[in-house]
Amino acid sequence: WLATMYGGRLKFETPMLFSIGLVSMFTIGGLSGVSHAFAPADTQQTDTYYIVAHFHYVLFGGAVLGLFSGIYFWYPKMFGRMMNETLGKLHFWITILAFNAIFIPLFITGVAGDHRRIYSYRLFPELAKPELQDLRVFATYALVVMLLAQMLFLFNFFYSLAKGKKASRN
C-alpha cells in the first residue's frame, strides 16, 4: 500500500497524513496477528495485552484514522469552509505518537504474560508482575495525551465552521 505512493506527486496535507497513518498502523496490526497462526504463540498471547494492542492497531488504524482522513478531506465540500491545516497536522502527530506510546508498551507487557481481564491486581497478587507497572502507567499517560489531542480536532471542526477560510468550488 505504501509502495503505491512511490513516484507520485504527494502533498502531505492532513488527509494524506491520516491516510498514511491508516496504512501504517493497519499493517502493524496485521503483521502482529500473523503470530496467532502459530498455536504455541497464540496460546501464550491469548487473554494478554498483546491481543489488545494487536486489535487496536487493526481497529484504530483501519477505522478511526480513516474516519479522520475522510473528515479532513471532505470537510470543505460538506461545509464550504477549510479546516485549519496547522491544527490538523498537530492533531495528527500528537494522535499517532500517543497511539504508539499506548500500544507498543502493551505488546511488551502482553508478551510478558500480562493478563488483560485483571482490573485490580490487589485481588490477584500472584499475577501482579510489578516490573511491568512502569509500562502500564506510561501507556495510561499516553492515553490521556491522545484523548486531549482529540480536543484539537473538535476545536478545529467547530471553529472552522464559523471562522474557517471559505473553500473554493473545486
Side-chain angles (χ1 to χ4, degrees), residues 41-51 105-118 121 124 126-132 135-136:
D42 183 45
T43 302
Q44 191 269 333
Q45 294 164 0
T46 299
D47 244 7
T48 69
Y49 277 113
Y50 187 93
I51 294 294
L106 293 189
F107 275 128
I108 296 165
T109 62
V111 168
D114 209 2
H115 293 273
R116 69 183 180 135
R117 291 194 170 104
I118 305 297
Y121 287 106
F124 304 97
E126 68 278 6
L127 300 175
K129 299 186 183 184
E131 65 276 9
L132 300 176
L135 287 172
R136 294 181 197 122

Side-chain angles (χ1 to χ4, degrees), residues 100-152:
N100 283 289
I102 295 167
F103 291 106
I104 288 174
L106 293 189
F107 275 128
I108 296 165
T109 62
V111 168
D114 209 2
H115 293 273
R116 69 183 180 135
R117 291 194 170 104
I118 305 297
Y119 67 92
S120 174
Y121 287 106
R122 283 177 265 169
L123 300 174
F124 304 97
E126 68 278 6
L127 300 175
K129 299 186 183 184
E131 65 276 9
L132 300 176
Q133 186 62 19
D134 289 342
L135 287 172
R136 294 181 197 122
V137 170
F138 179 77
T140 303
Y141 285 136
L143 172 66
V144 171
V145 170
M146 189 173 87
L147 289 175
L148 290 173
Q150 305 324 300
M151 297 301 120
L152 277 172

Side-chain angles (χ1 to χ4, degrees), residues 87-110:
L87 286 178
K89 286 181 178 179
L90 188 61
H91 171 230
F92 168 77
W93 284 111
I94 294 172
T95 298
I96 207 78
L97 292 173
F99 173 76
N100 283 289
I102 295 167
F103 291 106
I104 288 174
L106 293 189
F107 275 128
I108 296 165
T109 62

